[in-house]
Amino acid sequence: MSFAGNLELKFAYYHFYHPETKIYTETHFNVNGKSVKTVKNAAGKFTGSVLITMTYYHDEKIIQGEKIRISLPETNDTSYFNRGFTAKSQFRLPAGRNILKLDILDENNPSENYHFEIPIEVPDPKAFKASDVILIAGMPESENRAFSKKDFIPYISANTYLYDKNVNELLFYIEFYDLQSLDEKELPFFVNYFLESQSSPISLEKFAGRIKIRNEGVHPILGRLNITELPSGVYNLVIESINRKNEIYERKKVRIERISDYQPVSISIDMLENFSLDNSIIPVEILKDSISDFLLYMLPIATYSEQKTIDRLLSENNKDLMMKYFNSFWISKQKSGITWEDYYSRVNTANKLYGTRLLKGYRTDRGRVYCLYGAPTIVESRKHEPNTYPYEIWQYDRLIPWNGTNAQTDRIFIFADREINTGTYRLIHSTAAGETFNERWQYLLMERDMWTPNVDDVELPAQAGDWGTRFNNSIIINSSKFGRYNRW
């Protein structure tokens, strides 16, 4: 949820099953205490509160409702409020589409008053095999007693479940219900859980676990994964119940992101051992001859960890593993509508347009950008400006990366050939996230004609008119100090 004011509150809901009440919906709220307006009470201590009103509708009729208040504890030290305060409720809702109308009020600040309408789809009890997955943000430290669901503090995410370098353990909770089987009731099921890279649907053996359970009743599962050595990247937490015949009964998947300083010395390729080449996207006899080049071609759209894997595979030169990785990579990409054929076409275009005597096109800066983002909307090429190095400005109205990162709107790239007559245009500035940004890029273009070699000299003139008559007279950079869309 987003608020126009100061209040920071997160909301999540989960579905569970009970033999008597059937499916019930559990709501969780977490409010940042520092975002709540506090006042002194009669005892001279600081406190504050948020009032939450929940009203459920089904077929446009009110079916349930509740008011809950999250109150900050009385204290003399307001720094105590720099944490989350939680509340939860449970409701039994009819199957199908329900609407939760949510009213939120900071009781000491009437201007912090918000209304939301949230659709909640309740599953059919007859097909309900497992609860939703709760990622756990906190739990009691004691290991001397059994835990119940009420002991956990859920990890409620605003956008994505992010685990930074300070978090070394991933905890989750899930329940499985009456696992049906043709075998006798005493025969066990297993719950497997593991991480997989979102770019490759192969389980990471180092980050996996298994629990054996009976196949009747309610089975609560508390899982833990040590992610100390999990590199930065985007992953799926996969949880599945299987019978002794290795048949999957139910499968759940949650997307997470990891930001970590950890870099593996050696990327494990055990995950490729069981991958089959029977349905290779390119005939194996053809792929084998070109696999080294094809892996190198993938570098512009590979994440950092994928680049390390490719480097490792190339250095070991195991053709079989290289082909398996190639196929697993592109099979995963196909789920997003990205195919090897389309990407290979981009590589060929980059090689044709941007190659130099020393580098193939895909290895140049322009070629990398073309392979990753596709063709720009507009290109301004200036090879014969009197006072600048040759340069190009690429404008993208819509930037859609093929490496899984977020799309962006209205972004530019500026390339300069500062090594005269080589054709090696290098990226000197971009407004795209994750790319080179240099607010003084103009000075790099003018450096050869400047009176000083110090491009960091803050006393240098920076007016638009100082760049000559044609420097700003283009489609992309107009005569104002701002760009085409006020982006400078």
Side-chain angles (χ1 to χ4, degrees):
M1 293 180 180
S2 59
F3 300 88
N6 297 318
L7 191 63
E8 297 177 17
L9 185 142
K10 297 177 182 179
F11 165 76
Y13 67 89
Y14 309 91
H15 296 304
F16 295 94
Y17 178 86
H18 189 276
E20 296 179 1
T21 60
K22 305 304 179 184
I23 292 180
Y24 64 93
T25 302
E26 188 170 281
T27 62
H28 289 260
F29 296 89
N30 187 308
V31 63
N32 182 349
K34 290 293 286 187
S35 72
V36 179
K37 184 174 181 179
T38 56
V39 295
K40 283 188 176 182
N41 59 16
K45 295 186 177 182
F46 290 97
T47 186
S49 61
V50 175
L51 181 64
I52 301 170
T53 304
M54 293 178 282
T55 308
Y56 287 93
Y57 290 76
H58 187 80
D59 292 336
E60 299 183 351
K61 296 180 180 179
I62 296 176
I63 55 173
Q64 288 194 60
E66 183 181 15
K67 287 189 177 183
I68 59 175
R69 178 176 284 110
I70 301 179
S71 298
L72 306 185
E74 298 179 358
T75 181
N76 292 319
D77 182 7
T78 58
S79 65
Y80 180 77
F81 297 145
N82 192 21
R83 66 189 67 195
F85 295 87
T86 64
K88 71 175 182 179
S89 296
Q90 294 178 349
F91 300 90
R92 184 181 176 185
L93 304 175
R97 185 179 179 85
N98 298 270
I99 300 296
L100 167 60
K101 293 188 178 181
L102 198 59
D103 292 286
I104 299 168
L105 172 67
D106 184 331
E107 295 191 288
N108 293 312
N109 186 2
S111 65
E112 296 271 12
N113 187 356
Y114 305 97
H115 176 81
F116 299 91
E117 295 190 10
I118 303 169
I120 295 182
E121 295 287 343
V122 177
D124 180 357
K126 296 179 181 178
F128 196 59
K129 302 176 181 179
S131 73
D132 293 323
V133 179
I134 296 183
L135 296 180
I136 299 171
M139 59 185 294
E141 297 181 359
S142 173
E143 298 287 349
N144 298 323
R145 64 180 180 86
F147 292 111
S148 67
K149 181 158 55 70
K150 65 182 181 181
D151 294 314
F152 306 141
I153 299 175
Y155 179 1
I156 303 176
S157 169
N159 296 302
T160 185
Y161 292 105
L162 179 64
Y163 290 81
D164 64 24
K165 63 183 180 181
N166 298 314
V167 180
N168 295 319
E169 189 174 45
L170 187 157
L171 298 97
F172 68 88
Y173 179 86
I174 187 173
E175 294 177 356
F176 288 95
Y177 310 111
D178 279 331
L179 306 176
Q180 300 298 319
S181 172
L182 297 177
D183 297 323
E184 297 179 6
K185 286 289 186 181
E186 289 75 22
L187 295 180
F189 271 65
F190 294 92
V191 175
N192 293 334
Y193 55 93
F194 55 87
L195 294 179
E196 66 178 17
S197 173
Q198 197 172 59
S199 64
S200 180
I202 302 172
S203 65
L204 304 178
E205 304 269 340
K206 190 172 184 179
F207 308 99
R210 168 176 272 206
I211 298 173
K212 183 169 72 173
I213 60 176
R214 296 287 180 181
N215 62 329
E216 66 177 341
V218 177
H219 300 279
I221 304 293
L222 171 64
R224 300 170 180 263
L225 287 173
N226 187 326
I227 58 173
T228 304
E229 297 183 356
L230 182 66
S232 295
V234 182
Y235 302 89
N236 293 320
L237 169 63
V238 181
I239 309 166
E240 57 188 20
S241 59
I242 60 173
N243 60 22
R244 66 174 185 170
K245 297 177 182 178
N246 212 35
E247 299 169 334
I248 295 179
Y249 177 74
E250 180 65 317
R251 199 170 200 257
K252 296 282 187 175
K253 185 181 290 190
V254 181
R255 179 183 182 272
I256 69 166
E257 292 187 22
R258 173 70 164 165
I259 297 178
S260 171
D261 292 333
Y262 177 78
Q263 299 297 341
V265 177
S266 176
I267 301 292
S268 172
I269 51 180
D270 293 340
M271 60 183 181
L272 297 175
E273 290 182 356
N274 297 324
F275 192 91
S276 173
L277 291 172
D278 292 343
N279 297 312
S280 176
I281 62 175
I282 298 175
V284 172
E285 59 274 13
I286 298 175
L287 180 60
K288 190 171 186 179
D289 292 335
S290 303
I291 187 60
S292 295
D293 287 337
F294 287 176
L295 288 180
L296 287 171
Y297 289 165
M298 289 158 49
L299 290 175
I301 63 168
T303 63
Y304 180 80
S305 60
E306 289 166 350
Q307 290 172 4
K308 289 296 183 182
T309 300
I310 291 172
D311 290 343
R312 167 85 184 277
L313 290 168
L314 290 170
S315 66
E316 294 185 354
N317 199 32
N318 184 321
K319 299 287 186 181
D320 186 62
L321 288 179
M322 292 161 74
M323 291 189 292
K324 288 181 177 180
Y325 184 78
F326 174 88
N327 275 275
S328 69
F329 183 95
W330 288 107
I331 288 172
S332 174
K333 288 289 185 185
Q334 286 174 358
K335 297 178 181 179
S336 303
I338 301 171
T339 66
W340 162 250
E341 290 78 9
D342 290 340
Y343 179 69
Y344 189 48
S345 175
R346 283 191 181 183
V347 171
N348 286 331
T349 301
N351 286 342
K352 179 180 179 180
L353 297 179
Y354 310 120
T356 69
R357 294 190 300 271
L358 300 177
L359 295 174
K360 289 187 175 182
Y362 80 94
R363 298 188 63 185
T364 66
D365 283 358
R366 288 185 299 174
R368 177 189 66 80
V369 170
Y370 187 93
C371 290
L372 178 57
Y373 303 112
T377 307
I378 302 172
V379 174
E380 279 283 311
S381 180
R382 296 297 177 88
K383 296 182 179 180
H384 305 295
E385 289 284 338
N387 299 318
T388 69
Y389 292 109
Y391 66 94
E392 288 186 359
I393 304 176
W394 291 14
Q395 158 70 26
Y396 286 84
D397 287 343
R398 180 72 170 165
L399 195 70
I400 303 177
W402 275 13
N403 62 356
T405 54
N406 294 330
Q408 303 169 58
T409 301
D410 182 34
R411 296 292 184 265
I412 66 158
F413 295 80
I414 300 177
F415 306 90
D417 181 8
R418 302 174 76 235
E419 304 164 22
I420 302 297
N421 296 325
T422 68
T424 307
Y425 282 75
R426 300 193 185 279
L427 180 63
I428 62 170
H429 172 66
S430 175
T431 56
E435 299 286 353
T436 298
F437 179 87
N438 186 345
E439 61 183 4
R440 297 172 65 82
W441 57 270
Q442 297 99 327
Y443 293 90
L444 294 179
L445 290 181
M446 297 289 291
E447 185 182 13
R448 69 173 181 170
D449 202 47
M450 283 182 175
W451 58 270
T452 173
N454 183 9
V455 297
D456 294 321
D457 189 346
V458 296
E459 300 300 326
L460 289 174
Q463 301 301 315
D466 295 323
W467 306 116
T469 58
R470 297 187 61 217
F471 189 86
N472 292 283
N473 184 21
S474 68
I475 296 174
I476 300 175
I477 302 177
N478 62 29
S479 57
S480 73
K481 69 176 181 179
F482 299 106
R484 182 176 170 214
Y485 298 101
N486 293 341
R487 60 179 155 248
W488 308 123

